[in-house]
Amino acid sequence: MKRAFCAVKRHFENKYPYYVCTIITLCLLAMGIFVFPNAIGRLIESCKDFGYSVGYVFCEIFNIKPEIQPTMNNLPDYSYMNAQTWFFGLFGKSSPSKTPSTFIPMEWVQFKAKWVQYWKAFANERYFLLYVFFLLQVLYYAFLGVALFVPLWFGIRKLFKKYYFREQRQKQSKRLDCATALTDGQAQETPDTGEPVEMPITDSIPLRVWRWLYFKVILRVFLWVVSLVEWIKERPTLWQFWLLLALLYFNVLTIVMEFIAYYLYFLCSMDVYNLYRQIYKLFLDLYAVFSVLSFVTCFVLAYLGVKRFITYMHYEQIEREIRKMEDFLSKE
């Protein structure tokens, strides 16, 4: 039993990148169903809009009576190729998915009305007083937080001095007792062993706790992450597939196709009236990014930190190799 357990443990220690990357891939595919169910449908719609735009431009260039009507000015149909609806349909259940939304109105006329209404509200005396009242509330809570934080800070500081520096004073008193054994710069000998008295040097409790936490937990986890990132970088097919899923989920490919479709259509029609409709559709497609913006920011920052650490380790390794080479040449 123990031998089997050790074999399984060695297997997972050697093959853990495969299992971790498999879990990450399955999670990304699951996000395409439960978090970004409209990504595939929007990409197919954008490709269809691009195809209709190409056909429309072809008819305009060769003076052919246009039988093809461009579709890029139509609003997205989020029930089309909805992955979540398809998934729940397999189990005979209805989909609880919601459609994306944006803060700007759908039509240009509504936008102009809201814009005029905004500036009227901005110059309104009642709203200005409400804004001042809001600022006073913010200042009140800020003052309340400072009033609670300052006594807490002094209390923690007092406890820290009472217990931590007491330990330091005790250690210092022991060192002084040992130092009294040294007279005229000569070490006194103990009566038992005859060896000189040495001043004990010990680490503080917070230092020992931090050292244990850093070497046992933080450093091991960080090196594990670094090794996993290096393993993934050596397999470009894997991370390129993940990148393709990210571009699909964040509608990057859809936005590019919609832009090209409207650009081709605009060259022949000069349709400025529907430009606002394209901006509205752009904000709808960006809803996927805005919904997970905090997570994406944390992931990017973590990736940049790990990458910088890897670069630093590489420089350290190069410097060590250079020192070894210099030592070898100096011996020669």
Side-chain angles (χ1 to χ4, degrees), residues 79-133:
S79 62
Y80 177 70
M81 294 291 292
N82 190 291
Q84 194 169 8
T85 303
W86 170 80
F87 179 79
F88 281 93
L90 296 177
F91 303 96
K93 297 182 180 180
S94 59
S95 173
S97 62
K98 60 179 181 179
T99 58
S101 60
T102 183
F103 60 92
I104 61 175
M106 184 184 303
E107 300 295 339
W108 172 249
V109 178
Q110 298 175 354
F111 177 81
K112 291 193 297 183
K114 292 289 185 180
W115 185 254
V116 174
Q117 185 179 358
Y118 167 78
W119 286 109
K120 287 183 179 179
F122 184 82
N124 191 292
E125 181 180 357
R126 177 175 176 272
Y127 287 107
F128 177 76
L129 294 177
L130 289 175
Y131 176 71
V132 173
F133 179 72

Side-chain angles (χ1 to χ4, degrees), residues 61 118-119 161 168 170 172 201 207 229 231 259 301 329:
I61 292 176
Y118 167 78
W119 286 109
K161 286 183 177 181
Q168 297 296 321
Q170 291 176 356
Q172 187 176 6
I201 300 176
L207 180 59
V229 172
W231 187 87
F259 173 78
L301 292 177
L329 294 177

